[in-house]
Amino acid sequence: MLSVGCRIPMIATVLAALSFPQSTHAQQEPASPNPSPATTATPARRPHIALALSGGGARGLAHVGVLQWMEENHIPIDSVAGTSMGALVGAVYATGMNTKEVRDFVKTIEWDDVLLREPSYDQLSYRRKQDRTAYQVGAMLGIKHGLTGPNGLSPAHGVGLLIDRIAFPYSTISTFDDLPTPFRCVATDMLTGDAITLRDGSLAESLRATMAIPAVFTPIELNGRLLADGGLVNNIPTDIARSMGADIVIAVDIIPPLSPRGKLQTLAGVLDQSISLMTIDHDHRALQLADIVLAPDLGSYTVFDYASAEAIIRMGYNGAAAKAAVLRPFALSDAEWQQYVDARNARKRAPEKSAGTLEVAGVKGDAAQHIEKRLHKLLNRDLDLNQLDARLTHLVGEGRFDSLGYEGFVQNGVPGLRIVAHEKSYGPPFVDLAINVNGSGVAAFDFSAGIRLTFMDVKHRGGEWRNDLLLGSSNLAATEYYQPIGDTHLFVAPYAFASKIARNAFTGQTRIAIFGDERAGGGLDLGYNSGRRSELRFGYQIFEAKLAPLVGTAGLPIVRGSTGQLRLRYIWDGLDSPSVPSTGTRVMATLSRVLQSPALTSPIDQLEVQTSNFIPTGPKTSLFFNLSAGTTFHGTAGPFQVFALGGPFRLGAYFPQEFLGNHYGYASLGFRRDLYHLPQFVGRKIYWGGWYEAGTAFNTPESVVVRGTMNLGVIAETIVGPIALAGSVSPTGQSRVNFSIGRLF
């Protein structure tokens, strides 16, 4: 790294040539109402100071601390050039924010959610929530161009909306020189390998491009180029800072040092070192163009340590303070500083308060019309950006778009709102995957793997053709055509299915056989979909069924025949996760009228209600309680309608289907607490928890026997879905160790 000492002669030469007394600035003419970029950024007879801010992921938050120290010490910044995270921090400052506002902006970013491949679970549409609940492998694929996936782990829709909000007042500027502080950023042309300096056009799209780390964030199509992170070719843009008319270039270098041998024992360590080695020569050459180099000591913090934002910002501040002797000669007096601040503030723009017209860029036809219909109510009224963000996120949560952003424009003097859509390049059709493993030992082990193929906008807008295939211990082939009726929330959904699952049979507490439960049939539902959280369905279902022994005592009876039933089902899903929620409620209520079925002598009515409730008690802990109950009223359930208890979260110390009856009741109460934060590309968190269960399945009130189970376990949210391990013991001595992969038991 270049020593600051070797640049001192140049600094001294600049200061000597300019040779300005501090009193001179107090006598200058005030800035004109519409000053040019040069006269605003650099008052007469003082050096033009430019910052070059390097990329570096979470380590780039140190730039905020550097800016804070310079602001507190009245050192003016006349232009900024940045790459990746350096560009984001630099751009936020360039739009006129002071460093407190920059720091507050950084705090608003939920860094754990930046790498999510789609909006959080509670922001998804109800149909996509169904997908995530049933198919939890964290890898969405598509077959639009053969079986492919996205060209990045995350489209960063959420952080993109934050960028849009910052850039919105400057949507109509002709060049980034028109910002309160002139600005440049760097991106890499992924087709040619060229470094592209972004100096005009959409500020928001430029920032998306410079931050698009290959394989992490999806590249951005901009002006015919496919652009990604500028750190690949110019991570410390001192040359660009110099080209902006700078007399003094201050480079802030937050690139991590090369790792020692001991940290090269893993694939991740070797890849990280390889990237550093590929860019090290570029970085050294860039630093030679700087007059002052600030290199804060960021210790062992990595590019993914966003949870340590406050500590990294503080280290950036300390890094600037360590070079105070070199920086303070450029400090302004209080009067001069106020003049500088006033001139900068005079160039700030306020966002438009309303929009009179709407247009959509990036998509055409039905997709564009759908976006317009969902947003037209925002026109010709006070523009609520929070509401706009929410509606765009809900549109992304429907599954068609990687991200949606916005910018302003003016047409015939009327302010307008332009929605910038980025469609997924790999689908539809979309492919979701599932791996389901559960059991409690060799004698009770199930493995299944599955795929869901979803075609969208079939025949009409909103129409979906969903196809499921699950093979293994449990087998399922199913298809459903879902079609909204016009522009309403009503829908029609014909479907067909064939399934085979294993069911245990017991005499007392002794398992005597395993039966195969086979069903094949279909049905038609009419319903109401609220959009995100609930669905109501009513329909008729008919299927042929067979219950035959697979393992166990020979001579057990085979039950077969046709079942026909009317069914009304309501589901409310207000949880914030499909696997390990921290807050929210889920309710499922099913009312059935079984008209015919094997072993039934007359129709029966059944009602089942299941609820899950999570209440946060702190940032890491939530309480939960689950209540379920079912009844056959005054009838007797057949073998295909009987209620069952036993197994994880259904009395975990017992086998699945160990207790059967015409009626049942179940309750559990427990807690879950964060235990460990997994690396970003492995999963999210590991939790531990404990819960007590009590339940009964019975035929008559006289036969009620309530059984309990105490449970203690751990659950990890991973890219293959939740992985859970729990020990269960009953007050009467039964015990089991249950495990699952892919779905929570």
Side-chain angles (χ1 to χ4, degrees), residues 614-639:
F614 288 77
I615 303 171
T617 59
K620 293 186 176 183
T621 306
S622 290
L623 298 178
F624 64 85
F625 61 95
N626 302 328
L627 299 172
S628 300
T631 180
T632 314
F633 296 103
H634 302 293
T636 300

Side-chain angles (χ1 to χ4, degrees), residues 510-527:
T510 302
R511 185 170 61 161
I512 61 171
I514 299 176
F515 279 74
D517 184 334
E518 301 179 37
R519 307 184 189 194
L524 174 67
D525 285 342
L526 299 175

Side-chain angles (χ1 to χ4, degrees), residues 126-148:
Y126 182 79
R127 298 282 293 181
R128 301 292 75 79
K129 286 183 178 181
Q130 290 181 310
D131 294 340
R132 301 304 162 257
T133 300
Y135 293 80
Q136 294 198 16
V137 174
M140 179 176 281
L141 303 172
I143 58 173
K144 189 174 184 178
H145 306 292
L147 184 61
T148 58

Side-chain angles (χ1 to χ4, degrees), residues 27-370:
Q27 300 171 4
Q28 289 180 356
E29 293 292 326
S32 61
N34 297 294
S36 68
T39 57
T40 300
T42 313
R45 302 193 66 192
R46 73 165 177 82
H48 178 123
I49 300 174
L51 277 184
L53 305 180
S54 66
R59 291 170 65 92
L61 298 175
H63 298 313
V64 179
V66 170
L67 287 168
Q68 181 182 348
W69 187 91
M70 299 185 77
E71 182 177 87
E72 290 178 1
N73 288 272
H74 292 186
I75 297 172
I77 304 301
D78 301 306
S79 57
V80 178
T83 298
S84 196
M85 181 59 76
L88 176 62
V89 174
V92 174
Y93 181 79
T95 58
M97 288 189 181
N98 59 42
T99 56
K100 181 184 181 304
E101 292 170 323
V102 174
R103 194 166 187 157
D104 290 343
F105 168 79
V106 168
K107 289 180 179 179
T108 64
I109 302 176
E110 295 291 340
W111 295 105
D112 281 347
D113 295 337
V114 167
L115 287 178
L116 294 179
R117 59 190 173 96
E118 61 188 0
S120 59
Y121 182 76
D122 59 324
Q123 295 171 320
L124 297 178
S125 69
Y126 182 79
R127 298 282 293 181
R128 301 292 75 79
K129 286 183 178 181
Q130 290 181 310
D131 294 340
R132 301 304 162 257
T133 300
Y135 293 80
Q136 294 198 16
V137 174
M140 179 176 281
L141 303 172
I143 58 173
K144 189 174 184 178
H145 306 292
L147 184 61
T148 58
N151 53 6
L153 291 177
S154 170
H157 166 75
V159 74
L161 291 178
L162 291 174
I163 293 171
D164 290 337
R165 182 168 299 206
I166 297 301
F168 186 51
Y170 303 96
S171 298
T172 59
I173 60 176
S174 59
T175 169
F176 298 164
D177 284 336
D178 294 338
L179 293 168
T181 298
F183 173 74
R184 302 283 187 274
C185 62
V186 185
T188 301
D189 189 323
M190 295 298 289
L191 301 179
T192 66
D194 294 334
I196 306 299
T197 301
L198 301 172
R199 66 186 73 224
D200 52 30
S202 168
L203 177 61
E205 291 291 278
S206 296
L207 292 176
R208 282 186 175 91
T210 189
M211 294 181 63
I213 304 170
V216 177
F217 298 121
T218 53
I220 297 297
E221 187 90 26
L222 191 61
N223 299 327
R225 294 188 174 101
L226 189 64
L227 300 181
D229 194 311
L232 296 173
V233 289
N234 191 356
N235 197 44
I236 313 175
T238 51
D239 56 337
I240 297 172
R242 182 74 66 187
S243 71
M244 298 175 75
D247 298 305
I248 300 296
V249 174
I250 301 174
V252 184
D253 175 17
I254 47 81
I255 300 168
L258 294 177
S259 301
R261 178 187 295 271
K263 294 191 176 181
L264 300 181
Q265 306 303 314
T266 65
L267 176 61
V270 172
L271 289 174
D272 185 57
Q273 186 88 321
S274 299
I275 294 171
S276 297
L277 290 171
M278 285 188 291
T279 61
I280 193 168
D281 285 341
H282 288 296
D283 297 339
H284 285 167
R285 287 195 296 270
L287 291 174
Q288 290 173 4
L289 296 177
D291 299 296
I292 300 173
V293 176
L294 305 181
D297 180 4
L298 302 181
S300 60
Y301 287 118
T302 71
V303 296
F304 296 112
D305 282 330
Y306 293 103
S308 302
E310 281 298 318
I312 294 173
I313 291 172
R314 185 169 58 253
M315 289 176 171
Y317 183 94
N318 294 338
K323 296 295 178 68
V326 180
L327 295 172
R328 281 199 174 120
F330 302 102
L332 302 180
S333 68
D334 290 347
E336 293 164 348
W337 177 256
Q338 191 59 52
Q339 181 185 7
Y340 164 81
V341 171
D342 290 344
R344 188 167 177 261
N345 288 340
R347 293 162 59 83
K348 291 176 66 172
R349 296 189 180 193
E352 295 290 349
K353 295 182 178 180
S354 65
T357 184
L358 176 71
E359 68 177 42
V360 178
V363 294
K364 298 179 180 179
D366 288 344
Q369 292 176 11
H370 179 60

Side-chain angles (χ1 to χ4, degrees), residues 383-406:
L383 186 57
D384 185 337
L385 295 183
N386 290 327
Q387 186 180 28
L388 175 60
D389 286 353
R391 294 199 178 192
L392 292 177
T393 299
H394 295 160
L395 280 166
V396 172
E398 294 176 2
R400 284 296 300 262
F401 302 102
D402 265 334
S403 64
L404 290 169
Y406 60 91

